[in-house]
Amino acid sequence: MKRNGLRQLEAALWELPVSFKKGMKVPVHIAGTEKLIGGMDDAVFDQISNVASLPGILDRAWCMPDGHKGYGFPIGGVAAFDAEEGVISPGGIGFDINCGMRLVTSSLTWEELRPNLRELVDTLYSRIPAGVGGEGALNLSLSEFSDLCHEGARWCLKKGYAGQEDLARTEDEGCMDDADISAVSREALERGRTQVGTLGSGNHYLEIQVAEPGNVRDMDTAAVFGIERPNQIVVMFHCGSRGFGHQIATDYLKLFTKISHAKYGISVNDRELACAPFAAPEGQAYYRAMCCAANMAFANRQIILHLLREVFSEVLGKGPAETGLRQIYDVTHNTARVETHLTDGVEKRVLVHRKGATRALPPGSVDLPPEYRRTGQPVIIGGSMETGSWLLAGVSGGARSFFSSAHGSGRVMGRRQAKKQFSLDEIEKRLEEEEIYIRSSSRGVLAEEAGPAYKDIDEVVRASEAAGLSAPVVKLVPVGNIKG
DNA sequence: ATGTCC
């Protein structure tokens, strides 16, 4: 599949019209600079046009500027479906349900933290389980885990692992209300209950970052978000629902492939786009199970924040008030949510799939905590361990993409190629020169996650801004990182 | 992403 027919609408906005491929119900919009679009794999255009052919899709299928090839949907895909006529697809959400980002500010500066950096990273690494198959300190019974799946971050508040402000500054306040454990397999529950408070593997990490004064693009918004001192330390982390969400996605992909297509007369261009009508019992069951995984992931990140606060206090010998580890925001980038949007001039209840895409609410949104209603939602874009990450804010122009923005840099090469191409010695030498201290359970992960394996994050941010999806606030550069 | 293959 080639990209013939792709046309440029604006400096950073491109369209695949419905004539691009037979069966497309709506056009595709892709945000990206010429450079990013040029570097996109042809598979991205193929995949997102398949998405635009799914039953009940509304308005446009979107691909964010960090888009790359994924399972069925591209990573960076956004699609809204009519809640009555449309479908829900596990491939449009991702195997790692509610994979997301949390950003935490502190009252420390790099100068103050620097002497303790190594000890801090070593202690975080020993306290926060990371890596494939990692199990957490909380060994929950099935009944406790069931409560956690229904209550999300509220469970953590009840157990003393969260503060009220943490919940207020989490998407959906850390709980999707439609969770129903009866839709989750025994196997998924058994995998999930030991994994609360664990980071995972691959590109999941926890990173200590610095907000250098030269990297602040919007001082007023940064200050509202709690970043106001030169070289202030912040902590960003990225993880999801571990084997729990993965098992739920696997269970329902199998079910949808086996039953739903024949039963509901659905045909898809790619078997990886297995789906069910959202309103049908099978679609509702997956959605309710998905909400359980979303809640597990919110709780997972909340427990990690709790561990982070403990370690900072212990290593630095300071109380919580002195370390000042306050959550800026927590946002999911692998989910489906029921939202109200204007499509064709009519307000409609729609199911928005965001896979590798961040919700980005505009200023004034009532779904934001009051302190952020003037600025818009904090949008957290995680970069590679070498190149830095960005904090942006939602803007009113984001209405065109169902208020969605990019989520990361996006890979430019597969893990296998990265391992083949990059020398571990060179990466380690470079990290030392750049003064980035990393602890990882696997040396191979270092090559897979090396900076050059990813797109230029500054270019992704430029595209997000130029396409009117979100506005840059501050770039954050890494000094310490733990990963699986 | 993932008890990295049922």
Side-chain angles (χ1 to χ4, degrees), chain A residues 89 213 325 362 368 427:
Chain A
S89 173
L325 291 167
L368 286 171
I427 296 168

Side-chain angles (χ1 to χ4, degrees), chain A residues 112-126:
Chain A
E112 291 164 343
L113 189 89
R114 199 171 179 170
N116 301 101
L117 180 75
R118 279 178 173 259
E119 191 189 348
L120 203 51
V121 170
D122 288 340
T123 314
L124 286 167
Y125 183 72
S126 71

Side-chain angles (χ1 to χ4, degrees), chain A residues 174-378:
Chain A
C175 181
M176 293 189 81
D177 292 330
D178 295 319
D180 179 359
I181 202 83
S182 70
V184 178
S185 71
R186 183 82 187 188
E187 191 178 10
L189 293 171
E190 283 299 339
R191 276 182 80 169
R193 69 184 180 85
T194 57
Q195 295 185 318
V196 180
T198 66
L199 206 46
S201 175
N203 68 350
H204 287 161
Y205 61 84
L206 179 146
E207 191 167 88
I208 300 175
Q209 305 170 335
V210 182
E212 294 171 356
N215 284 333
V216 181
R217 285 278 306 275
D218 178 346
M219 274 182 72
D220 293 338
T221 302
V224 173
F225 291 165
I227 299 177
E228 41 196 345
R229 300 170 68 190
N231 296 325
Q232 193 170 325
I233 291 289
V234 300
V235 182
M236 180 179 284
F237 52 96
H238 176 217
C239 63
S241 52
R242 306 290 327 283
F244 183 55
H246 193 278
Q247 189 62 49
I248 288 171
T250 305
D251 291 341
Y252 280 93
L253 273 167
K254 271 189 206 154
L255 177 76
F256 289 1
T257 308
K258 210 165 104 185
I259 293 175
S260 146
H261 292 189
K263 185 169 173 187
Y264 297 106
I266 296 170
S267 72
V268 291
N269 291 340
D270 177 350
R271 57 189 295 275
E272 295 183 354
L273 290 173
C275 57
F278 181 52
E282 293 84 355
Q284 281 296 300
Y286 169 60
Y287 173 65
R288 289 172 197 283
M290 186 215 80
C291 289
C292 289
N295 289 345
M296 186 276 197
F298 283 133
N300 191 22
R301 292 195 287 275
Q302 185 61 47
I303 300 295
I304 290 173
L305 174 56
H306 176 74
L307 296 170
L308 175 77
R309 285 177 171 143
E310 279 187 351
V311 169
F312 262 64
S313 284
E314 231 172 83
V315 172
L316 303 173
K318 292 174 187 285
E322 291 171 292
T323 54
L325 291 167
R326 290 180 70 184
Q327 182 159 318
I328 294 176
Y329 208 63
D330 178 294
V331 69
T332 162
H333 53 226
N334 277 9
T335 196
R337 293 179 84 250
V338 177
E339 300 174 1
T340 302
H341 288 280
L342 214 55
T343 63
D344 297 325
V346 186
E347 281 217 328
K348 230 173 179 168
R349 215 176 127 255
V350 301
L351 181 73
V352 183
H353 290 61
R354 292 190 184 88
K355 181 197 195 176
T358 300
R359 188 188 69 172
L361 293 174
S365 169
V366 293
D367 291 329
L368 286 171
E371 64 271 27
Y372 294 157
R373 287 198 191 145
R374 189 164 62 78
T375 58
Q377 182 202 299

